[in-house]
Amino acid sequence: MRRGFRIASGLIGLLFVLACLAWSGQKQPVPVSILMPAPYADASTQMVEAFNREHRGSIHLEVIRGPLETESISDLAISSLLLGDTPFDALLMDVTWLPKYAEAGWLEPLDPWFDQAALDQLILGARLGNHHKGQLYRWPLGADVGVLYWRTDLMDSPPSTPEQLSDIAINLVQTKRVTNGYVWQGRQYEGLSCNFVEVLHGFGGQWLNPATGQLELDATSAARAAAWMQSLITTGASPKAVTNYSESESLQAFKAGDAAFMRNWPYAWAELQKPESNVRGNVGIALMVAEPDQSPAATVGSWGLSLLKQSPHREAAVEAIRYLTSEAAQRERFLNQGYTPTSKSLFTDPELIAVSSALPEIAKALDYSVSRPPSPLYAQLSDLLQRQLNGLLTAEPEKTNRTIDTATAASAAAMNSVQTKSDMLLRATGAEA
Amino acid sequence: MTVLLALPALLLMAVVFGWPMLRYAWLSFHADSVLTGLVPIPNGGANWLRLLTDSRFWLDAGQTTRFAIVSVGLELILALAIALLLDQRWRGRSAVRALSLLPWALPTTMMALGWRWIFNTPYGPIEQVAEAAGFGPLNLLSTPAMTWIVTVLADVWKTTPFITLILLAGLQTIPEDLYAAFRLEGGSAFQALRRVTIPLLMPYILLSLLFRMAQAFGVFDLIQVLTGGGPAGSTESLALYAYLNGMRFLDFGYSATVMVGGFLLLTALILLGALLLRMTGALRAMQP
């Protein structure tokens, strides 16, 4: 009896050792983990499944569903990177984070994997904002620029100058055809900077002069741009509430049919075509307005995938990045979720245009793309601008009737203050913009 | 023996509170930002010089102090009234006691998101009512003065239950006999409140004041979600400014300086409060 027990236990032990050997002999797939904001992660579910089917046994991709808000994603990523042992191999990054992350030494250049030919087939709006100091650190997942939405049932053609936009909006509000004329993003957050950059270029100005490396917010164009944004509120072309609006509030007002114009990103198009939208079929897309002798501009807001320096699975991670950004993936994301593609060729694809008639207009806006200053200190610079600009927009108008001159003087003072504080910050930290 | 028994608690305090504080104090004498490659480099008192001349720090310090004093003051008055009510015997008291804790139990972020929609212009219920009553748009979250009131309101709603709870516990330690004796002597209910309840409740009031002041001074989540510090930075708190410098700007040296600076200010504020209390206490003792 005792002997039988011994043999049995010996056999079980042997089996266990053999099982261990067999298990260790089998090739384990390389795990790749990518952090994305929730909407992008949700939009990639099927693609991830397909990738894992195709790479069974070699790579296992997992997309981590992060928070919804842009800055919360950044906080999460930065926390994990600071601790020095991040669980992520790649990160879906907003265009403004890149210089900061690259300068902090968290990113691995992608130049060995993506050549000039690959870059050349990207549309301008997707090509901008992927490089820092001459190296490629990000590959775009979707193109994104600010555009002007207008109501085809309220006017024949969209306005092209700031003056026209104000006039039409005021007229429509005064004749009670809409309650809100023009809705945009005036809340004290990054969206306000995006709105401002478009208007600033439309008035012939720029935030940072790339040739000299100097900030140019003390120029007359900046004061005039800010004065126009302020005048939208004081003249009633925009409701005062836009000074606390982000994208979702603007979209809600426009979707409800309460506004004649909206500044937003291309994602809003699909939302406006849904059955519950009051403006379905009555929406057009145009470029942001510009002075008659100036070129219109669209702020780049794209997301792209970056490889983290700490990643031990570089080749596998790049394979996943390639797969998620391929033309097939772009097509799928556009057809299913309405995310704008990045390859030039897809913008003329009849199948895609059949789904969204707005695609050619978005392609046009992408050709007028402008970037926000590509500085590692961008977050500080933008914060200074947001504070002053939001202060200007929410200031109580003086009791006496404001003339154009006093309005411009106030905005010039605000812009000069941003310029002075930004220059002080750059000097205090010894940095170049 | 006493020291020995207190040792585990003291050690725990040193690890979770003392060490980070020392670490921040050390960091505040270093440049540690994206420009130094996130490596701390000693820079003498440069951060502190910057803090002294940083108008935004002092503005935020003033705003934070004002927020803490006004909201904690309002909470104390409200909480005392509610605690007195909940201490009385009436039908359904236990249900209301449990319900009154609800705001405190809700996560601040969720609550702040809720308030943001409640105060939304033009779709929030408050604006809808104002609109219907003919008051036009109030723009609750886009005028600095209004927004400040709204943040105080949200904080009062959320944390009054905390003080209520402490005061209610305090009320239950006051023996019924004292009131009976007071009534026997011909004292009115209001006199009982002034002469019996409040003096005996004082330790609990001070305790909750201390807790809440420290908490309100470090307010972050409510403001971050409700206003993001706007409009025009008028609701920005010191904690939010420290967070911006650290997590958003990756300037950890200066972020630590803001944090330590805020801590020093809070300590000064509490010492000042204690001093004032002692002085008024001494004054009262002099009166016959």
Side-chain angles (χ1 to χ4, degrees):
Chain A
M1 188 60 211
R2 173 172 281 192
R3 191 166 166 187
F5 182 73
R6 209 177 274 171
I7 290 174
S9 56
L11 275 176
I12 289 172
L14 195 68
L15 260 174
F16 180 72
V17 171
L18 281 175
C20 283
L21 278 174
W23 185 72
S24 67
Q26 195 186 44
K27 206 171 144 237
Q28 281 298 298
V30 180
V32 170
S33 142
I34 303 181
L35 175 67
M36 292 189 189
Y40 282 99
D42 293 342
S44 317
T45 320
Q46 287 180 353
M47 243 172 266
V48 172
E49 279 169 17
F51 178 88
N52 285 334
R53 265 198 308 278
E54 284 174 35
H55 296 79
R56 194 182 297 278
S58 60
I59 305 175
H60 183 80
L61 172 64
E62 193 186 2
V63 166
I64 312 290
R65 192 174 184 273
L68 180 74
E69 283 199 15
T70 306
E71 296 306 335
S72 312
I73 280 280
S74 175
D75 289 353
L76 183 65
I78 287 178
S79 307
S80 81
L81 286 162
L82 284 173
L83 291 172
D85 190 20
T86 171
F88 313 118
D89 296 288
L91 205 61
L92 188 60
M93 297 226 303
D94 183 55
V95 64
T96 58
W97 306 348
L98 193 124
K100 187 165 71 176
Y101 279 54
E103 204 73 21
W106 291 332
L107 305 182
E108 180 67 22
L110 290 170
D111 301 273
W113 292 285
F114 293 92
D115 57 9
Q116 192 58 44
L119 276 166
D120 286 341
Q121 49 83 31
L122 293 176
I123 198 159
L124 175 70
R127 224 182 307 144
L128 289 175
N130 300 313
H131 288 80
H132 181 66
K133 294 192 172 158
Q135 280 185 303
L136 179 71
Y137 282 105
R138 193 182 80 132
W139 195 254
L141 184 80
D144 217 4
V145 278
V147 288
L148 182 69
Y149 289 81
W150 58 285
R151 292 272 296 276
T152 52
D153 56 333
L154 294 175
M155 63 203 86
D156 298 327
S157 60
S160 60
T161 68
E163 206 183 340
Q164 285 172 7
L165 196 160
S166 311
D167 288 348
I168 298 174
I170 294 169
N171 188 359
L172 287 170
V173 171
Q174 281 174 352
T175 55
K176 310 248 185 239
R177 297 187 63 193
V178 284
T179 43
N180 301 316
Y182 172 36
V183 291
W184 38 288
Q185 292 84 48
R187 185 174 159 89
Q188 186 184 330
Y189 83 122
E190 187 52 36
L192 178 58
S193 295
C194 294
N195 280 241
F196 178 72
V197 165
E198 281 154 11
V199 177
L200 177 65
H201 280 260
F203 277 86
Q206 55 185 348
W207 194 341
L208 174 77
N209 184 335
T212 62
Q214 297 292 313
L215 300 173
E216 291 187 351
L217 291 179
D218 53 354
T220 331
S221 47
R224 292 184 59 229
W228 181 70
M229 287 173 92
Q230 191 194 22
S231 77
L232 287 172
I233 294 160
T234 51
T235 58
S238 295
K240 184 151 199 271
V242 295
T243 57
N244 195 44
Y245 273 13
S246 64
E247 284 88 353
S248 54
E249 286 95 352
S250 315
L251 180 57
Q252 198 190 18
F254 193 76
K255 198 173 170 182
D258 289 341
F261 302 105
M262 168 178 72
R263 186 270 176 204
N264 215 320
W265 308 95
Y267 82 94
W269 175 263
E271 287 292 320
L272 295 170
Q273 304 307 322
K274 285 188 174 165
E276 73 268 21
S277 161
N278 286 350
V279 293
R280 193 179 176 193
N282 290 330
V283 183
I285 286 186
L287 273 159
M288 184 46 66
V289 292
E291 295 244 276
D293 50 344
Q294 300 296 340
S295 163
T299 306
V300 170
S302 65
W303 289 81
L305 288 160
S306 288
L307 181 59
L308 294 180
K309 196 161 249 166
Q310 295 173 12
S311 164
H313 321 112
R314 287 182 189 170
E315 290 294 336
V318 170
E319 180 69 23
I321 293 177
R322 270 190 206 287
Y323 190 91
L324 292 173
T325 58
S326 66
E327 281 200 8
Q330 291 174 38
R331 176 186 291 270
E332 198 183 316
R333 251 193 312 271
F334 179 79
L335 293 176
N336 296 338
Q337 282 94 14
Y339 286 104
T340 314
T342 59
S343 294
K344 275 181 206 162
S345 59
L346 287 179
F347 286 88
T348 50
D349 190 307
E351 193 197 341
L352 269 59
I353 294 175
V355 171
S356 164
S357 54
L359 202 57
E361 286 301 326
I362 293 172
K364 203 165 121 196
L366 283 163
D367 282 333
Y368 286 93
S369 294
V370 291
S371 301
R372 288 162 271 173
S375 159
L377 296 181
Y378 174 72
Q380 277 110 310
L381 298 175
S382 178
D383 182 68
L384 288 171
L385 176 73
Q386 291 161 30
R387 271 172 85 91
Q388 286 291 333
L389 198 53
N390 188 256
L392 187 71
L393 298 176
T394 51
E396 293 297 325
E398 280 115 65
K399 289 186 183 81
T400 52
N401 273 342
R402 270 193 149 172
T403 64
I404 299 287
D405 288 340
T406 55
T408 316
S411 53
M415 286 300 118
N416 282 332
S417 164
V418 183
Q419 176 84 14
T420 316
K421 284 181 175 155
S422 304
D423 283 337
M424 259 169 66
L425 171 83
L426 294 176
R427 265 200 307 279
T429 52
E432 285 168 35
Chain B
M1 193 60 195
T2 335
V3 176
L4 205 66
L5 285 174
L7 204 61
L10 285 176
L11 271 177
L12 194 71
M13 284 287 283
V15 171
V16 301
F17 186 73
W19 189 79
M21 218 47 233
L22 284 178
R23 164 84 190 168
Y24 276 130
W26 176 84
L27 203 56
S28 73
F29 290 96
H30 290 74
D32 182 3
S33 74
V34 67
L35 298 169
T36 67
L38 299 183
V39 176
I41 296 167
N43 69 349
N47 288 334
W48 285 97
L49 267 178
R50 184 174 157 197
L51 190 81
L52 288 177
T53 54
D54 184 355
S55 56
R56 185 159 165 190
F57 172 80
W58 294 105
L59 190 75
D60 288 355
Q63 284 171 185
T64 314
T65 314
R66 195 178 55 170
F67 172 83
I69 291 176
V70 173
S71 42
V72 176
L74 283 175
E75 283 157 24
L76 192 63
I77 296 168
L78 267 176
L80 187 61
I82 297 173
L84 286 170
L85 196 69
L86 291 179
D87 195 41
Q88 305 296 315
R89 277 174 219 286
W90 39 281
R91 270 175 71 97
R93 181 181 70 162
S94 17
V96 175
R97 272 191 185 177
L99 269 180
S100 71
L101 263 180
L102 206 63
W104 175 250
L106 283 175
T108 313
T109 320
M110 302 298 296
M111 170 215 93
L113 270 179
W115 283 117
R116 193 166 144 188
W117 278 109
I118 289 172
F119 293 123
N120 174 281
T121 312
Y123 300 105
I126 296 195
E127 286 286 0
Q128 299 270 329
V129 171
E131 192 76 45
F135 288 117
L138 299 172
N139 295 306
L140 290 167
L141 289 174
S142 18
T143 16
M146 283 290 196
T147 310
W148 188 74
I149 295 172
V150 165
T151 50
V152 169
L153 209 73
D155 192 61
V156 168
W157 182 82
K158 158 97 188 154
T159 47
T160 302
F162 174 73
I163 305 189
T164 310
L165 197 70
I166 295 184
L167 296 189
L168 192 59
L171 281 176
Q172 280 161 8
T173 63
I174 303 175
E176 197 59 38
D177 314 355
L178 279 178
Y179 292 107
F182 201 79
R183 267 198 303 276
L184 215 62
E185 301 280 338
S188 73
F190 181 69
Q191 279 173 328
L193 178 71
R194 256 192 62 195
R195 303 274 175 192
V196 180
T197 315
I198 299 217
L200 287 174
L201 212 53
M202 218 34 168
Y204 297 89
I205 292 179
L206 286 181
L207 184 78
S208 52
L209 265 184
L210 196 71
F211 273 157
R212 279 294 306 137
M213 276 307 275
Q215 223 174 21
F217 204 78
V219 63
F220 173 77
D221 38 9
L222 169 74
I223 291 187
Q224 164 78 348
V225 177
L226 187 61
T227 68
S234 60
T235 55
E236 188 172 88
S237 68
L238 279 180
L240 193 60
Y241 189 40
Y243 156 82
L244 276 181
N245 274 295
M247 294 302 282
R248 222 37 91 68
F249 307 161
L250 294 183
D251 189 345
F252 296 100
Y254 194 60
S255 172
T257 317
V258 171
M259 216 117 61
V260 178
F263 173 75
L264 292 177
L265 284 179
L266 175 66
T267 315
L269 203 71
I270 287 178
L271 284 179
L272 193 75
L275 200 71
L276 279 175
L277 270 177
R278 189 160 296 179
M279 269 164 60
T280 50
L283 278 178
R284 200 171 302 147
M286 280 195 291
Q287 281 168 358

